[in-house]
């Protein structure tokens, strides 16, 4: 045995085989991955980019192997870091991910030549390959006659025809992987014109002078073909020598009569035409069966829109209302847990408060969104797997394209009306990274269901009594448009002036309609839920504890006694009963007096807590919007979760933290609140302009720790911070503007 | 007048044409070609979105949606 073959075999023996799954979108790659790995799959992220990393374990005839599911793509072309992930994995540039030993390339058998473009690019990496011809049943039905034996010989790799949705043929893949690996079966590669290969060598020389990084020939070719090649981002600065070498390569292509923009496609397709000549013959027509007929209805100018709006209504209503009972259960379970734990910690009041008011309350308030996420992802999986999602994007594209978004932003934005968290997670369906980022940044402006209690409280307390229920309904309706009205110009400014992505092209394949598979839908829901729960256990827990501490400390024990004394003194003065009688009343925990006192104590502690002091400190900032320090505390305390304003106001106005938006006591307390001092002393705090200013503030502000955590998870902390600052500033401006004008 | 070049935007729903030339100065052309929009292939306009943009075409067994802007860079002649 020669020494050259020994080395890789030895290396491979020490670790499980690394296999990468690659293919165009809509080829059934995900179905195949689910069928191959089943329960043995994991989801994560590639370092530094927003691309989801799915991997799992598969069993080969001689042991377990690691299977990595690469994002669906039409080519190795990479103009952004997100797009670079595929070529980085295949070139071995991702830390912690070995260069694959075998590549499994999935192609749609009904469209062999176009699908093989990616395989032909991958072939140049000279990694052993297995070619999977999926939707084989549809190919047979269309009368395509593909001679697998001849094709396998021509391409030089094992070929497995499958119907991944039904699992047919999937069991033959492991043996084919083993065969490809043992015999090093690489796909027949395109041979480039001579002078072009020398241009690649020149670029390599220039690269080696500047950097230690080992680039593959495939990566160097990307620098030539891709206008803004992301491969260049490997270098901190791109030296003039590299630039010159790239320009030379492009020039040599032009001299040979090839345009660098189109040469790659033309040469690869020419190569494939030769390989496929006489192998794949079509006996019938190549139309997509029933797809055309269904599209005539679903994409009809009139009916198409009606059906689309009806479907979106069902999705939105389901996320909104089906989730209700489950959210109530989670809420009940949360209270049950609090009541269960609380008595055991009575001896340690601080720990009791940390566990019940901090941990269980905070994490519970986050987990409560899980039902909405599961329901939304059920529908997203259904819409995507049937092929309808692409049609929905087609119908809506024009409405969103002028402000820099595209048709695929529609579903995430609509779902954000229920809750921004599933909405932001739904942006994963948007391929273009800039469009996705813009959608993520505007989604939290949509009026989510957590804003509703705030609107209901304020409208119920101030608008309805004064102007009647018609105006109240109108104001509620209008509040749902405030966010949208701000979001559209924000998206326009972001895409035009921040991302400089003028009119992103929007080219999208509309896959044939197919029946979805329950297993694939299940995995989609599972992935989304699991990612979300992981957040709850980490970042949300931390935020929760911090906010709890700000509200809890400092806590001088003597304050409770002081409040008690002054409460008794006040009672004595107003009711003329002896102090002993009041003290006796207070002994009984269930008495009205005891309840009042405990609320007064909570209120006193909140007043002098760090958060209370911050409220007074920040009051001048919110004064132009007409907010007093109590509203300011409410605003500050609501940053982790906006609906907290109601229980915070309850505590501040000494009604206890258990009030809700229907609470008559809270409504009347707010209506009776007056300025204690200053130029407006004695005047009511909550005038109509203040009420509207508060609602506008809540409509625009990023007051949701869970949303921020999800944004950070999806696109990084930098953008979460951007979202927070941008929305808070806009909310403040909006509130001040409303108050000053009104 | 007749010398003015016809593009995909001049097609009517249901009609077919042959692609003659792609604007290679447009960055999207690289992506379109990779997806199978190649010179000399036959294209059919299958749908126009309700608001007039984008359009859906059928080419080499695939259905693609693209915006008017991109369609303007694809020149055609009668099939």
């Amino acid at each position: 045995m020669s020494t050259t073959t020994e080395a890789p075999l030895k290396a491979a023996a020490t670790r499980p085989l690394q296999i990468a799954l690659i293919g165009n979108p809509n080829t059934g790659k995900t179905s195949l991955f689910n069928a191959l790995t089943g329960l043995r799959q994991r989801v994560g992220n590639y370092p530094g980019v927003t691309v989801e990393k799915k991997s799992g374990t598969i069993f080969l005839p001689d042991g377990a192997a690691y299977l990595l599911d690469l994002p669906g793509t039409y080519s190795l072309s990479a103009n952004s870091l997100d797009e670079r992930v595929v070529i980085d994995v295949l070139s071995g540039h991702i830390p912690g991910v070995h260069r694959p030993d075998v590549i499994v390339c999935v192609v749609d058998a009904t469209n062999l030549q176009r699908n093989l473009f990616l395989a032909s690019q991958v072939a140049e990496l000279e990694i052993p390959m297995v070619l999977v011809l999926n939707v084989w049943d549809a190919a047979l039905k269309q009368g395509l006659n593909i001679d697998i034996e001849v094709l396998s010989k021509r391409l030089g790799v094992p070929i497995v025809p499958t119907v991944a949705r039904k699992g047919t043929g999937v069991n033959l893949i492991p043996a084919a992987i083993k065969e490809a690996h043992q015999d090093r079966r690489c796909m027949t590669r395109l041979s480039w014109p001579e002078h072009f290969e020398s241009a690649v060598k020149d670029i390599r020389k220039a690269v080696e002078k500047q950097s230690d990084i080992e680039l593959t020939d495939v990566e160097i070719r990307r620098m030539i073909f891709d206008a803004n090649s992301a491969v260049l981002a490997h270098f901190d600065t791109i030296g003039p020598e590299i630039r010159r070498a790239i320009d030379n390569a492009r020039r040599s292509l032009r001299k040979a009569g090839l345009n660098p923009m189109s040469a790659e496609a033309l040469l690869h397709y020419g190569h494939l035409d030769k390989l496929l000549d006489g192998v794949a013959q079509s006996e019938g027509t190549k139309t997509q069966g029933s797809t055309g007929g269904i599209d005539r209805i679903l994409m009809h100018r009139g009916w198409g829109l009606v059906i689309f709006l009806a479907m979106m209504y069902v999705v939105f209503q389901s996320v909104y209302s089906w989730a209700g009972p489950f959210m109530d259960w989670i809420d009940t379970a949360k209270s049950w847990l609090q009541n269960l734990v609380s008595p055991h910690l009575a001896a340690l009041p601080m720990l009791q408060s940390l566990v019940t008011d901090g941990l269980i309350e905070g994490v519970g308030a986050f987990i409560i969104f899980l039902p909405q996420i599961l329901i939304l992802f059920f529908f997203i999986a259904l819409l995507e797997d049937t092929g309808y999602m692409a049609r929905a994007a087609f119908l809506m594209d024009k409405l969103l394209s002028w402000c820099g978004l595209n048709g695929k932003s529609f579903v995430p934005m609509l779902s954000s009306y229920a809750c921004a968290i599933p909405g932001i997670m739904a942006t994963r369906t948007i391929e273009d990274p800039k469009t996705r980022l813009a959608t993520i940044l505007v989604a939290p402006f949509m009026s989510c269901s957590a804003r509703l209690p705030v609107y209901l409280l304020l409208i119920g307390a101030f608008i309805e009594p004064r102007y009647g229920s018609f105006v109240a309904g109108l104001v509620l309706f209008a509040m749902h448009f405030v966010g949208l009205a701000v979001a559209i110009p924000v998206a326009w400014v972001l895409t035009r002036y921040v991302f400089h992505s003028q009119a992103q092209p929007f080219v999208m394949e509309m896959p044939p309609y197919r029946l979805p598979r329950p297993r694939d839908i299940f995995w989609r829901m599972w992935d989304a839920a699991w990612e979300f729960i992981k957040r709850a256990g980490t970042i949300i827990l931390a935020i929760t504890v911090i906010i709890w501490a700000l509200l809890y400390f400092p806590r001088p024990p003597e304050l409770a006694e002081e409040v008690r004394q002054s409460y008794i003194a006040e009672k004595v003065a107003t009711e003329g009963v002896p102090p002993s009688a009041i003290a006796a009343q207070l002994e009984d925990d269930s008495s009205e007096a005891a309840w009042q006192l405990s609320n007064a104590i909570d209120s006193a502690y909140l007043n002098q807590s760090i958060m209370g002091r911050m409220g007074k400190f920040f009051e001048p900032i919110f004064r132009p919007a007409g907010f007093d320090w109590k509203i300011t505390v409410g605003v500050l305390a609501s940053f982790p979760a906006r609906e907290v304003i109601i229980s915070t106001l309850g505590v501040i106005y000494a009604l206890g933290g258990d009030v809700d938006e229907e609470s008559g006591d809270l409504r009347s307390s707010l209506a009776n609140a007056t300025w204690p001092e200053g130029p407006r002393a004695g005047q009511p705090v909550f005038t109509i302009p203040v009420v509207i200013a508060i609602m506008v503030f809540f409509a625009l502000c990023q007051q949701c720790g869970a949303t921020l955590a999800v944004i950070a998870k999806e696109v990084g902390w930098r953008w979460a911070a951007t979202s927070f600052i941008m929305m808070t500033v806009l909310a403040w401006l909006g509130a001040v503007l409303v108050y000053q004008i009104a | 007048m007749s010398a003015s070049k016809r593009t995909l935007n001049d097609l009517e729903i249901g009609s077919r044409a042959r692609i003659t030339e792609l604007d290679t100065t447009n960055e999207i052309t690289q992506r379109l070609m990779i997806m199978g929009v190649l010179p000399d292939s036959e294209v059919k306009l299958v749908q126009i979105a309700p608001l007039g943009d984008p359009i859906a075409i059928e080419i080499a067994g695939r259905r693609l949606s693209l915006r008017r802007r991109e369609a303007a860079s694809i020149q055609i002649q009668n099939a």
Side-chain angles (χ1 to χ4, degrees), chain A residues 312 315-317 319-320 369 372-373 375-377 379-380 383 389 408-427 429 439 443-444 446-449:
Chain A
M312 286 305 118
V315 171
F316 183 50
Q317 268 300 315
V319 172
Y320 209 81
F369 297 118
Q372 290 187 334
I373 288 175
I375 294 169
L376 182 67
F377 272 81
F379 281 108
I380 285 181
L383 292 175
M389 193 67 108
K408 292 199 168 181
S409 313
F410 189 82
V411 169
M413 282 173 72
L414 183 76
S415 8
S416 296
Y417 265 101
C419 175
I421 293 159
I424 286 164
M425 290 170 82
T427 62
T429 58
T439 310
M446 305 300 116
S447 188
C448 70
S449 52

Side-chain angles (χ1 to χ4, degrees), chain A residues 81 94 103 171 176 260 305 493 539 595 623 680-681 722:
Chain A
L81 288 179
I94 304 247
I103 294 170
N171 57 338
L305 275 186
V493 171
I539 187 70
W595 183 74
R623 190 62 64 89
R680 279 175 288 179
T722 307

Side-chain angles (χ1 to χ4, degrees), chain A residues 257-306:
Chain A
L258 293 165
N259 185 321
M261 287 285 278
S262 58
E264 195 189 15
L266 293 175
L267 288 172
H268 274 294
Y269 278 122
H271 171 63
L272 289 172
D273 278 340
K274 260 182 263 162
L275 285 177
L276 293 178
D277 185 41
V279 176
Q281 272 158 353
S282 167
E283 287 172 356
T285 51
K286 271 195 101 182
T287 51
Q288 299 183 338
S290 56
T291 292
I294 301 173
D295 267 347
R296 262 194 286 282
I297 302 163
L298 291 185
M299 283 162 71
H300 184 266
R301 286 191 153 204
W303 284 118
L305 275 186
V306 173

